[in-house]
């Protein structure tokens, strides 16, 4: 359970957020996450994937939770349906990964309304876990509010010795592609008063919070996505928002690489500590 102090801090930060709500595409926990919650393996870290449509999985142009059992059985690409399912392939049993729900976008003034709070409050987050935070939805052109939300999510986790991985967003939305008046609400690399939405991930990851046990890291997917485009291997679907199978694989690979880097650093720190004691 979360300490009262951490909750009050998160409430205080989130109270500064006052933006109109928008439609989001977060969904329910996937079957991997439900299975983890019911049968968690002792000492195996969990990669909790929080976000909207990208972390939920839309590479097959349909969310996994919208498939019927018959459709899932007949879908030849079903094992690659989401970042979580791809991570399951490459984890080699070293960690467990699952889609845990949305981050809180659309914005909420109460952190208890997001699934990060729910997972913490339900006792599903343990020391040495990884918390992945990603969004690609409508953001109301308010980097300051989104940054405060990202910071409040880390505050919710400060009692835990976990690593928070902020994954930024790649988009390539052609003018008129979304057929809405303000397409910039879905663009994360367009400056808004000189600040991009993507810059909030880097800022949140760089924040120093001395009394917080949760470390923060940035996973910058944008250069690699652009490199794929440059090679003629488009990583994005025609809407310019959702990764295709190539882009989704790159995201999963980047998460896996960072998780393994941190796990190795943890092992080395434990080894050094043990050597010092002897």
């Amino acid at each position: 359970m979360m300490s009262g102090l951490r909750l009050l801090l998160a409430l205080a930060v989130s109270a500064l957020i006052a933006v109109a709500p928008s439609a989001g595409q977060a969904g329910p926990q996937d079957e991997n996450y439900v299975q983890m919650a019911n049968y968690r393996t002792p000492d195996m870290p969990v990669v909790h994937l929080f976000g909207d449509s990208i972390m939920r999985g839309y590479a097959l142009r349909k969310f996994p939770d919208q498939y019927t059992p018959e459709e899932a059985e007949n879908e030849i690409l079903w094992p690659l349906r989401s970042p979580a399912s791809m991570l399951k392939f490459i984890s080699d049993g070293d960690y467990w990964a699952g889609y845990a729900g949305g981050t809180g976008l659309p914005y909420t003034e109460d952190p208890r309304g997001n699934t990060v709070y729910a997972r913490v409050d339900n006792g599903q987050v343990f020391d040495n876990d990884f918390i992945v935070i990603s969004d690609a939805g409508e953001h109301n052109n308010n980097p300051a509010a989104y940054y405060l939300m990202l910071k409040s999510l880390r505050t919710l986790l400060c009692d835990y010795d976990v690593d928070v991985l902020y994954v930024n967003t790649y988009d390539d939305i052609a003018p008129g592609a979304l057929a809405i008046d303000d397409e910039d609400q879905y663009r994360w690399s367009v400056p808004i008063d000189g600040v991009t939405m993507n810059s909030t991930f880097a800022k949140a990851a760089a924040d120093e919070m001395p009394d917080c046990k949760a470390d923060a890291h940035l996973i910058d997917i944008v250069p690699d996505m652009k490199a794929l485009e440059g090679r003629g291997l488009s990583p994005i679907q025609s809407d310019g928002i959702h990764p295709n199978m190539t882009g989704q694989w790159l995201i999963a690979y980047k998460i896996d690489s960072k998780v393994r880097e941190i796990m190795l650093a943890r092992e080395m720190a434990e080894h050094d500590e043990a050597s010092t004691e002897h």
Side-chain angles (χ1 to χ4, degrees):
M1 300 290 285
M2 185 185 312
S3 73
L5 176 60
R6 296 303 180 192
L7 174 57
L8 288 173
L9 288 171
L11 285 166
V13 173
S14 293
L16 300 173
I17 301 172
V19 229
S22 59
Q25 289 187 307
Q29 306 166 57
D30 66 10
E31 67 277 16
N32 290 334
Y33 200 83
V34 172
Q35 186 178 6
M36 178 280 298
N38 292 328
Y39 307 103
R40 178 157 182 155
T41 304
D43 300 324
M44 180 181 289
V46 170
V47 179
H48 308 254
L49 302 172
F50 291 95
D52 48 23
S53 56
I54 293 179
M55 287 300 151
R56 186 179 174 190
Y58 198 71
L60 298 181
R61 301 190 179 185
K62 184 175 181 177
F63 294 118
D65 51 272
Q66 295 177 335
Y67 278 74
T68 66
E70 292 76 18
E71 288 174 330
E73 184 177 356
N74 293 322
E75 174 56 73
I76 192 171
L77 296 175
W78 181 249
L80 304 175
R81 61 196 175 276
S82 67
S85 64
M86 289 182 168
L87 287 170
K88 186 176 180 180
F89 262 105
I90 58 179
S91 68
D92 198 26
D94 295 327
Y95 58 84
W96 200 311
Y99 176 64
T103 63
L105 186 70
Y107 303 100
T108 173
E109 294 182 12
D110 186 346
R112 291 170 295 187
N114 68 59
T115 51
V116 179
Y117 175 90
R119 302 298 165 251
V120 172
D121 199 48
N122 291 340
Q124 293 170 290
V125 174
F126 286 64
D127 286 346
N128 295 322
D129 280 357
F130 297 87
I131 313 297
V132 176
I133 304 293
S134 168
D135 275 310
E138 186 179 356
H139 50 62
N140 296 312
N141 298 326
N142 197 329
Y146 189 70
Y147 160 71
L148 289 175
M149 190 197 76
L150 293 178
K151 187 170 184 175
S152 73
L153 296 180
R154 185 179 173 195
T155 301
L156 290 171
L157 297 158
C158 278
D159 284 338
Y160 298 87
D161 189 7
V162 297
D163 285 273
V164 180
L165 312 181
Y166 293 111
V167 182
N168 61 12
T169 300
Y170 175 76
D171 59 70
D172 188 17
I173 303 171
L178 302 183
I180 59 175
D181 291 337
D182 186 5
E183 292 179 322
D184 279 354
Q185 290 200 64
Y186 288 89
R187 293 188 173 102
W188 290 70
S189 298
V190 172
I192 303 168
D193 294 330
V195 180
T196 68
M197 293 299 296
N198 261 344
S199 69
T200 63
F201 292 104
K203 184 177 180 181
D207 273 342
E208 293 188 8
M209 299 172 64
D211 296 327
C212 184
K213 293 168 65 178
D215 292 329
H217 313 263
L218 174 67
I219 296 181
D220 185 2
I221 67 169
V222 175
D224 294 297
M225 288 288 204
K226 288 182 176 179
L228 287 174
E229 287 278 12
R231 294 170 55 193
L233 300 171
S234 177
I236 205 103
Q237 297 184 31
S238 58
D239 60 12
I241 299 175
H242 296 102
N244 56 23
M245 203 61 79
T246 301
Q248 184 172 273
W249 171 256
L250 187 145
I251 292 170
Y253 174 81
K254 295 280 285 187
I255 293 172
D256 176 77
S257 297
K258 177 58 71 173
V259 166
R260 293 189 181 282
E261 174 189 321
I262 295 171
M263 289 176 67
L264 179 60
R266 289 175 181 173
E267 290 177 7
M268 294 177 65
E270 290 175 1
H271 178 269
D272 291 344
E273 183 178 350
S275 300
T276 302
E277 290 176 354
H278 289 85

